[in-house]
């Protein structure tokens, strides 16, 4: 649609002006084309104390600018969908300060698919990482789209869990979709694009900035029916997303954590304040009223074969592992396995991907 050209232009100004001011102008002028064609006097009338916004709009509204952006998008296979497009996510269109549109690479999931966000701190424990993966994997296998922010820590593990479950995952960035942030997630980004997509309200080429991430977070929660927090401290930026989710009327769910861990103080506080406690992916499906699609046969086999393939002593050790680290000495006591044999069993479980060794000779379950 021709009007999308003007919405692309307007969206390319979001990082300079902010979506709230641009949404205000859309309410006044009716559409992006009218803003593009408005006189200096008309714009100044509605932006009397916003010289920065006025300067960017009047300086950058020319067809050459639009053509340059469109060529860049075509070269990098970046698509755009305005919120006026029928394919734009309905839930996201309904939130306060809805994004003008989305730039994306990959396959945007159909509006009919159930989506949940899994979020948590960048600085997290093994417990936070594992719970993100162990919740995302079966949810994705059940047909739920996993949404997160591709940040270090919990976000990245949520995406990986979804991919391991053979499902679809969506990463929402606080920069242009042509930029991999953090850079270490280059392979993860490529893996996400095989079935899912990378989206942003920011135009290609826009570098990440601290101010962009709270705005990014409203899109993460806005796309979803519910938000699951796996681990967060009391001052974690993750809680900003929770506040936005609550303002948007989304369900908030949280994974209980160790009461002695500062990294779980935020999630435990959320539960005290009324968030639904989560102990397994079935809790999430139940709270959100999601009917799972049948699990792929390969996922069922993985779940069934975990214990079938273990010898008696291996199974005894594995059954005493959980997401909470346990020391080697304690594991020896509770499993009643001789020390020398236990070393071999733990190594074998690690090689099978069923256990993970942590510093201090501590072990946790890995599947």
């Amino acid at each position: 649609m021709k009007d999308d050209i003007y919405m692309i232009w307007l969206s390319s100004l979001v990082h300079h002006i902010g979506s709230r001011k641009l949404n205000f102008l859309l309410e006044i002028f009716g559409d992006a084309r009218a803003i593009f064609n408005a006189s200096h006097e008309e714009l100044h009338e509605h932006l009397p104390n916003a010289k920065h916004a006025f300067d960017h709009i009047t300086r950058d509204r020319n067809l050459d600018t639009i053509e340059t952006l469109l060529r860049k998008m075509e070269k990098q296979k970046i698509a755009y969908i305005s919120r006026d497009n029928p394919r734009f996510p309905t839930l996201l269109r309904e939130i306060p300060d809805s994004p003008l549109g989305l730039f994306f690479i990959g396959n945007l999931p159909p509006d009919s698919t159930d989506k949940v966000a899994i979020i948590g701190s960048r600085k997290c424990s093994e417990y936070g990482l594992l719970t993100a993966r162990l919740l995302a994997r079966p949810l994705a296998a059940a047909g739920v789209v996993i949404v997160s922010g591709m940040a270090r820590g919990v976000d990245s593990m949520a995406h990986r869990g979804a991919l391991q479950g053979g499902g679809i995952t969506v990463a929402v960035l606080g920069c242009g979709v042509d930029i991999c942030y953090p850079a270490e997630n280059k392979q993860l980004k490529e893996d996400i694009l095989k079935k899912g997509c990378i989206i942003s309200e920011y135009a290609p080429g826009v570098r990440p900035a601290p101010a962009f991430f709270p705005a990014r977070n409203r899109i993460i929660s806005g796309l979803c029916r519910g938000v699951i927090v796996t681990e967060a401290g009391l001052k974690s930026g993750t809680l900003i997303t929770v506040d936005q989710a609550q303002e948007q009327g989304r369900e908030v769910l949280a994974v209980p954590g160790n009461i002695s861990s500062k990294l779980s103080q935020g999630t435990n506080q959320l539960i005290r304040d009324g968030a639904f406690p989560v102990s397994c992916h079935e809790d999430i499906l139940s709270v959100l009223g999601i009917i799972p699609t049948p699990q792929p046969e390969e996922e069922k086999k993985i779940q069934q074969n975990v214990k079938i393939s273990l010898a008696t002593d291996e199974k005894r050790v594995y059954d005493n592992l959980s997401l909470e680290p346990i020391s080697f000495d304690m594991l020896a006591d509770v499993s009643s396995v001789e020390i020398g044999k236990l070393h071999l069993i733990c190594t074998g479980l690690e090689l099978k991907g069923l256990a993970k060794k942590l510093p201090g000779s501590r072990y946790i379950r890995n599947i």
Side-chain angles (χ1 to χ4, degrees):
M1 296 188 300
K2 286 186 177 180
D3 282 348
D4 271 350
I5 294 175
Y6 295 98
M7 283 294 281
I8 290 173
W9 163 74
L10 201 61
S11 289
S12 72
L13 303 177
V14 169
H15 65 294
H16 290 306
I17 300 172
S19 59
R20 288 187 180 179
K21 197 156 284 172
L22 293 177
N23 273 319
F24 167 74
L25 290 176
L26 281 171
E27 287 183 16
I28 298 297
F29 288 94
D31 57 42
R33 185 194 293 237
I35 298 173
F36 186 88
N37 293 323
S39 67
H40 280 45
E41 290 75 18
E42 289 175 308
L43 287 170
H44 191 269
E45 177 185 350
H46 299 293
L47 297 169
N49 301 311
K51 185 178 184 300
H52 180 74
F54 176 84
D55 288 345
H56 275 290
I57 291 174
T58 55
R59 184 189 67 194
D60 295 334
R61 55 176 181 169
N62 61 76
L63 294 177
D64 288 340
T65 299
I66 298 175
E67 285 296 328
T68 299
L69 177 57
L70 290 175
R71 283 196 298 270
K72 182 176 184 179
M73 290 171 59
E74 183 178 10
K75 183 178 180 180
Q76 297 180 332
K77 297 181 180 179
I78 298 171
Y80 175 85
I81 185 170
S82 79
R83 68 167 178 232
D84 299 325
N85 190 304
R87 291 179 54 236
F88 190 86
T90 302
L91 288 176
L92 188 60
R93 184 187 290 120
E94 295 171 351
I95 69 170
D97 188 27
S98 173
L100 280 62
L102 299 172
F103 296 91
F104 66 95
I105 307 175
N107 302 301
L108 196 66
D111 200 28
S112 57
T113 54
D114 293 308
K115 304 174 186 69
V116 300
I118 296 181
I119 60 174
S121 300
R122 291 189 298 274
K123 296 179 180 179
C124 55
S125 69
E126 289 290 338
Y127 174 79
L129 291 173
L130 280 170
T131 52
R133 180 168 67 83
L134 294 179
L135 290 175
R137 178 174 168 167
L139 284 172
V144 178
V145 175
I146 304 300
V147 180
S148 202
M150 213 175 82
R152 294 184 181 92
V154 167
D155 286 17
S156 294
M157 192 59 78
H159 293 304
R160 290 191 175 97
L163 295 171
Q164 289 172 358
I168 296 172
T169 185
V170 174
V172 185
L173 304 187
C175 58
V177 294
D178 57 329
I179 296 170
C180 185
Y181 183 81
E184 67 205 47
N185 276 345
K186 181 180 179 182
Q187 185 59 54
L188 176 60
K189 183 178 181 182
E190 292 176 3
D191 292 340
I192 290 171
L193 290 175
K194 291 175 183 176
K195 290 183 68 176
C197 69
I198 310 289
I199 69 176
S200 177
E201 70 176 323
Y202 301 110
V206 174
R207 305 296 304 179
F212 297 161
F213 291 98
R216 179 276 306 265
N217 293 346
R218 86 189 192 287
I219 297 177
I220 292 176
S221 56
L223 283 166
C224 301
R225 294 181 56 183
V227 173
I228 302 106
V229 186
T230 64
E231 191 175 55
L234 286 175
K235 295 183 179 180
S236 170
T238 300
L239 302 183
I240 297 174
T241 310
V242 171
D243 290 339
Q244 293 170 327
Q246 291 173 330
E247 290 174 7
Q248 294 166 353
R250 305 299 189 252
E251 295 287 3
V252 175
L253 306 91
V255 177
N258 191 320
I259 61 172
S260 66
S261 171
K262 291 184 177 180
L263 294 173
S264 290
Q265 288 180 347
T267 44
N268 290 339
Q269 181 65 53
L270 288 175
I271 293 170
R272 287 194 294 272
D273 291 342
F276 291 95
V278 171
S279 61
C280 60
H281 80 283
E282 288 93 348
D283 290 342
I284 299 165
L285 296 174
S286 175
V287 168
L288 299 180
I290 296 174
I291 300 175
T293 56
Q295 274 193 326
E297 286 303 313
E298 57 268 24
E299 179 67 19
K300 290 181 181 178
K301 288 178 182 178
I302 290 172
Q303 300 296 336
Q304 293 168 355
N305 288 342
V306 166
K307 294 185 179 180
I308 293 175
S309 62
L310 297 181
T312 302
D313 285 343
E314 285 182 312
K315 184 178 181 301
R316 189 183 307 150
V317 173
Y318 178 77
D319 286 343
N320 281 289
L321 295 176
S322 69
L323 299 185
E324 285 292 334
I326 183 172
S327 70
F328 181 85
D329 291 340
M330 180 64 72
L331 188 57
D333 288 341
V334 297
S335 65
S336 300
V337 175
E338 187 267 327
I339 295 292
K341 190 173 185 180
L342 183 59
H343 276 295
L344 294 174
I345 290 174
C346 288
T347 300
L349 291 175
E350 282 188 88
L351 292 173
K352 291 178 181 180
L354 302 180
K356 185 172 183 179
K357 185 177 181 180
L358 303 179
S361 293
R362 296 174 302 147
Y363 291 86
I364 53 174
R365 182 177 290 198
N366 200 37
I367 191 174

